Amino acid sequence: MSKRFTARTVATAAVLALTATGLGVPANAAPSNSRTFTVVAEDGVAADTAVAAIRAAGGTVVSRSDEVGMFQVSSDRADFAARATAAPTLIGAAEQKAIGRKPKLDRVEQEHLTAAAGARAGANAARKGAKLDPLDDKLWGLEMIRADKARKIEPGDRRVTVGVLDTGVDASNPDIAPNFNWSLSRNFAPDLIDVDGACEVPSCLDPVGTDDGGHGTHVAGTIGAAANGFGLSGVAPNVSLVELKGGQDSGYFFLDPVVNALVYAGKSGIDVVNMSFYVDPWLYNCTANPADSPADQAEQRAIIKAMKRALTFAHNKGVTLVGALGNNNEDLGAPRTDVTSPDYGADPYPRPIDNESCWNLPTEGPHVIGVSSVGPSGKKSDFSNYGTEQISVAAPGGWFRDGFGTDTFRTDANMILSAYPKHVLQEEESVDADGNIVAGFENSVFKQCKANGECGYYTYLQGTSMASPHAAGVAALIVSRYGKAQGRTGFGMSPDQVEQHLYRTAAEHACPEPRLQQYRNEGRDETYDAYCAGGVNFNGFYGYGIVDAYAAVKTPFKPNARP
């Protein structure tokens, strides 16, 4: 998940509520009494009919996504949301309002930086990895999924496009630059001063090829960093990387940018989209949870409907959707009572979760390949969500606490190394103003420079956010290997066929014995206990298995084969 939202105690990823200025209004606009809402129409309602209902309720449409029946609306009526929800042609309206800021460090993805100094003492033990680019010997994940062998058969096709729906992508990194697709990349998330701080540019719309959060760049590097003899390489080092900026600089993900990015991906012919986030302020969006107020129920129904429509639209247009399963150490098929929602704007309260009417989005949405995280040992990461209902496959996501009883225990090398923007590392105080690594961070941050002085920076993170791009990279290799020409200029492969082949070629992994996995040695209490249900072919920890890039490109594609 995104760095802002991987642990529920910190807060989770894509928030519906945003600033009072809203996404359709410049962040530097003068204050007014007008508020901004996201409005979603009922099924089968024509866009013009929905617009008429919005106007009748006292709203003005600022922007619209007719493909999914979603509208951004401004209104100065205090009762607009209630009036819109009461309209028979509208599902509901959710106000977009400020919800807070990210913490300086994420407690899951950056656990190595929040750990007690004593727990991190000493240098990292060397980890065997694929030696391709200079830092690839630190990429145990590449070797685990046999991506180093896969590229000898299929390194990726430049025509295959992978959308990184995230906080942006730093295209200045020498490992990202060769594969960055400038013509297709877009920013759907203008800066919002209430959550992102001051705008870096007058328009408040950061140019593509930049990333003020870092998360998206890390994800992009794992998917497709170039194998160019510099820095490190990705799972699919020859594919094209497309920035779909749907997350704020602060790490928040809001409904409008995410839906618009998914619609754009479908209309633009993007082959694969990676999604390492989920929609807040509710841990689970429910259709009619008795614990929620009528207004909150309407808001959640709008989120559910808009996300499901957007995911379905993208899928039907040929996009393979890959999503992080989440870092709440929870069985998504048997969710616990939610005691953390809403995250902001009101005090959280206990919400019993009905699995039949509540969704964790986008990972529980239609057509999404859900990915859990494993550490170097192959053991499920303690933080990773799981469960036979939603899991599809597992992939290397890192686990700082892996290797108990060995010299690798609680070392940075257990995590996932990838590209990261220099200025974000400077903000996190691990790189100084001169671009040098600060003392004490030599094992977690790396700098590589060319003879001309051009440098790239890399750091470790962990999470299902890091597992998902490994799977997305393999999906991109499948499209590259088995895709066909489509139309006069297109190239691609049916998402259903990509998904089928990904599952069929994953390396099966049985449940541990005993099946109740505990993490006491790693310092975790009983809330991290996880029961692995299922057999070797499919189970709640590994799904159909750990993704296998080599098997995916070597095994002949069979259109009607089953996993």
Side-chain angles (χ1 to χ4, degrees), residues 339-353:
V339 296
T340 62
S341 302
D343 292 333
Y344 292 98
D347 293 332
Y349 53 87
R351 303 172 67 232
I353 300 300

Side-chain angles (χ1 to χ4, degrees), residues 344-359:
Y344 292 98
D347 293 332
Y349 53 87
R351 303 172 67 232
I353 300 300
D354 170 32
N355 191 50
E356 297 300 317
S357 61
C358 299
W359 287 268

Side-chain angles (χ1 to χ4, degrees), residues 231-300:
L232 50 72
S233 60
V235 174
N238 280 9
V239 300
S240 295
L241 298 170
V242 179
E243 174 188 344
L244 302 175
K245 188 176 189 300
Q248 303 303 129
D249 295 349
S250 53
Y252 291 106
F253 286 74
F254 302 127
L255 185 65
D256 282 56
V258 169
V259 168
N260 290 333
L262 286 169
V263 170
Y264 171 81
K267 294 169 71 173
S268 302
I270 305 299
D271 294 294
V272 180
V273 168
N274 184 83
M275 301 175 292
S276 293
F277 59 87
Y278 57 100
V279 180
D280 267 308
W282 309 98
L283 173 58
Y284 289 91
N285 287 282
C286 305
T287 56
N289 193 323
D292 300 328
S293 70
D296 288 339
Q297 291 177 3
E299 174 182 285
Q300 292 168 61

Side-chain angles (χ1 to χ4, degrees), residues 119-491:
R120 303 184 64 241
N124 281 321
R127 253 202 200 286
K128 183 181 178 183
K131 184 63 175 176
L132 301 166
D133 283 356
L135 295 176
D136 282 358
D137 61 345
K138 304 180 188 302
L139 305 185
W140 56 268
L142 281 189
E143 185 176 31
M144 176 179 281
I145 69 170
R146 300 199 291 176
D148 51 332
K149 294 182 178 180
R151 70 184 55 175
K152 296 176 182 178
I153 299 174
E154 178 58 74
D157 189 307
R158 187 72 64 202
R159 294 172 295 177
V160 174
T161 50
V162 183
V164 182
L165 209 175
D166 218 291
T167 59
V169 176
D170 179 12
S172 70
N173 185 291
D175 271 324
I176 301 294
N179 293 339
F180 190 76
N181 189 314
W182 290 93
S183 63
L184 286 177
S185 294
R186 296 287 187 276
N187 180 355
F188 299 93
D191 287 346
L192 304 168
I193 55 176
D194 288 17
V195 292
D196 298 321
C199 296
E200 291 86 2
V201 295
S203 67
C204 292
L205 188 70
D206 294 339
V208 296
T210 62
D211 181 9
D212 293 325
H215 192 267
T217 301
H218 199 280
V219 166
T222 295
I223 295 170
N228 54 2
F230 178 90
L232 50 72
S233 60
V235 174
N238 280 9
V239 300
S240 295
L241 298 170
V242 179
E243 174 188 344
L244 302 175
K245 188 176 189 300
Q248 303 303 129
D249 295 349
S250 53
Y252 291 106
F253 286 74
F254 302 127
L255 185 65
D256 282 56
V258 169
V259 168
N260 290 333
L262 286 169
V263 170
Y264 171 81
K267 294 169 71 173
S268 302
I270 305 299
D271 294 294
V272 180
V273 168
N274 184 83
M275 301 175 292
S276 293
F277 59 87
Y278 57 100
V279 180
D280 267 308
W282 309 98
L283 173 58
Y284 289 91
N285 287 282
C286 305
T287 56
N289 193 323
D292 300 328
S293 70
D296 288 339
Q297 291 177 3
E299 174 182 285
Q300 292 168 61
R301 287 195 295 271
I303 295 172
I304 294 167
K305 185 64 71 175
M307 284 298 299
K308 287 187 173 183
R309 286 175 181 168
L311 293 167
T312 300
F313 178 86
H315 172 83
N316 290 344
K317 290 292 186 177
V319 182
T320 296
L321 300 164
V322 184
L325 208 61
N327 299 343
N328 198 42
N329 51 279
E330 183 168 27
D331 182 346
L332 292 177
R336 300 186 293 261
T337 295
D338 174 19
V339 296
T340 62
S341 302
D343 292 333
Y344 292 98
D347 293 332
Y349 53 87
R351 303 172 67 232
I353 300 300
D354 170 32
N355 191 50
E356 297 300 317
S357 61
C358 299
W359 287 268
N360 179 319
L361 294 166
T363 194
E364 291 191 301
H367 311 296
V368 178
I369 298 169
V371 187
S372 69
S373 170
V374 300
S377 68
K379 190 174 179 180
K380 184 187 82 70
S381 308
D382 58 4
F383 52 77
S384 180
N385 285 348
Y386 59 98
T388 56
E389 182 177 296
Q390 299 302 336
I391 195 171
S392 302
V393 290
W399 184 26
F400 177 66
R401 301 184 185 219
D402 205 354
F404 177 77
T406 74
D407 57 3
T408 65
F409 180 55
R410 295 178 71 93
T411 56
D412 299 345
N414 288 332
M415 303 171 76
I416 302 299
L417 185 69
S418 190
Y420 213 66
K422 179 179 76 172
H423 72 283
V424 178
L425 291 169
Q426 290 173 324
E427 292 170 2
E428 295 175 356
E429 301 178 354
S430 57
V431 170
D432 65 22
D434 295 324
N436 298 315
I437 298 171
V438 174
F441 290 92
E442 298 90 346
N443 292 323
S444 60
V445 177
F446 299 88
K447 175 183 179 181
Q448 294 269 296
C449 295
K450 295 182 176 181
N452 63 2
E454 184 182 6
C455 298
Y457 291 80
Y458 310 84
T459 194
Y460 286 105
L461 295 177
Q462 68 175 9
T464 55
S465 274
M466 286 64 251
S468 182
H470 281 86
V474 177
L477 290 178
I478 293 171
V479 180
S480 299
R481 183 70 169 163
Y482 304 107
K484 304 292 184 182
Q486 297 179 344
R488 303 177 73 177
T489 59
F491 181 84

